[in-house]
Amino acid sequence: MRLLIMGAPGAGKGTQATALAERYGIPAVSTGDIFRSNIQQGTDLGVQVKAIIEAGEYVSDDLTEAIVADRLAQPDCAQGFLLDGFPRTMHQVHFLDEHLSATSRQLDAVVSLQVNPDALVDRLLERARIEGRADDNEDTIRRRMEVYAGQTAPLLFHYERQGILVDVDGTGTVDEVRERMFAGVDKHTGK
């Protein structure tokens, strides 16, 4: 099973990605986790990424694509994977399509978590308060929403045209969203 989960920052991608990966026995590949790990370790990549994130911008396509290609080449991804946080731009979509095609693979489904933008801002401000995330102040959150709408939303249309988009209402409890998500993916993939 090869899946992708999408949604604006704060939509619950990380939480739901873990559940999807466990359900289908595939690794969750999160670019955000990879970046945060490098920031915490103080690697060269981490220093670069920290400055970009603190400005409310996204990491460049080339840098992100190289990291994802390396991760998908790992043995645990041979039988499937769940991408979380990638792709975010059409450049990355085309890279992923070509990368998968070159290895005779394709995505089975793309889960899109749909949540009202004002609710997302509230969620992220609460998360920032609880987790002490320096990159989650209101100005940065709103900038990330603008970047998401401008760069990432067109990807949904691309995957809808391919017939692999599974829209999921991302409001409600974690369990409610998870059940809707599982039902949507199972229906789409015939599992």
Side-chain angles (χ1 to χ4, degrees):
M1 181 77 75
R2 288 171 298 278
L3 301 172
L4 165 60
I5 190 166
M6 296 181 69
K13 293 183 306 293
T15 300
Q16 298 302 343
T18 300
L20 266 179
E22 288 174 3
R23 180 174 178 99
Y24 296 107
I26 54 177
V29 177
S30 165
T31 53
D33 288 349
I34 294 169
F35 293 152
R36 279 187 286 278
S37 173
N38 278 275
I39 290 169
Q40 290 172 346
Q41 295 172 24
T43 67
D44 289 341
L45 172 63
V47 171
Q48 282 181 286
V49 169
K50 183 178 181 184
I52 294 166
I53 291 172
E54 286 179 349
E57 301 294 334
Y58 285 137
V59 178
S60 74
D61 289 339
D62 292 340
L63 184 57
T64 304
E65 289 164 3
I67 289 166
V68 170
D70 179 68
R71 180 63 184 93
L72 294 182
Q74 301 301 313
D76 65 332
C77 290
Q79 299 303 313
F81 51 81
L82 170 69
L83 289 171
D84 170 11
F86 181 90
R88 290 188 183 218
T89 66
M90 287 307 297
H91 189 279
Q92 292 175 5
V93 166
H94 295 304
F95 168 83
L96 181 61
D97 287 348
E98 291 169 13
H99 181 77
L100 292 176
S101 178
T103 57
S104 300
R105 298 183 289 179
Q106 64 184 20
L107 291 172
D108 294 299
V110 175
V111 173
S112 173
L113 297 176
Q114 303 290 324
V115 183
N116 175 291
D118 289 332
L120 291 175
V121 171
D122 291 343
R123 279 187 191 180
L124 289 172
L125 288 172
E126 179 63 13
R127 181 176 79 182
R129 186 186 67 74
I130 293 170
E131 298 179 9
R133 288 187 177 205
D135 62 326
D136 281 349
N137 61 61
E138 187 164 355
D139 290 340
T140 302
I141 290 168
R142 293 207 181 274
R143 174 67 183 139
R144 287 166 59 200
M145 296 293 176
E146 290 170 15
V147 172
Y148 176 81
Q151 291 184 347
T152 313
L155 282 58
L156 299 175
F157 182 67
H158 173 80
Y159 290 123
E160 184 176 38
R161 283 194 329 243
Q162 288 186 346
I164 59 173
L165 186 65
V166 177
D167 282 318
V168 176
D169 178 358
T171 57
T173 67
V174 170
D175 291 339
E176 289 168 344
V177 174
R178 182 181 305 128
E179 290 310 311
R180 285 193 294 266
M181 181 179 62
F182 288 166
V185 171
D186 288 349
K187 180 180 178 185
H188 179 78
T189 61
K191 297 286 180 192

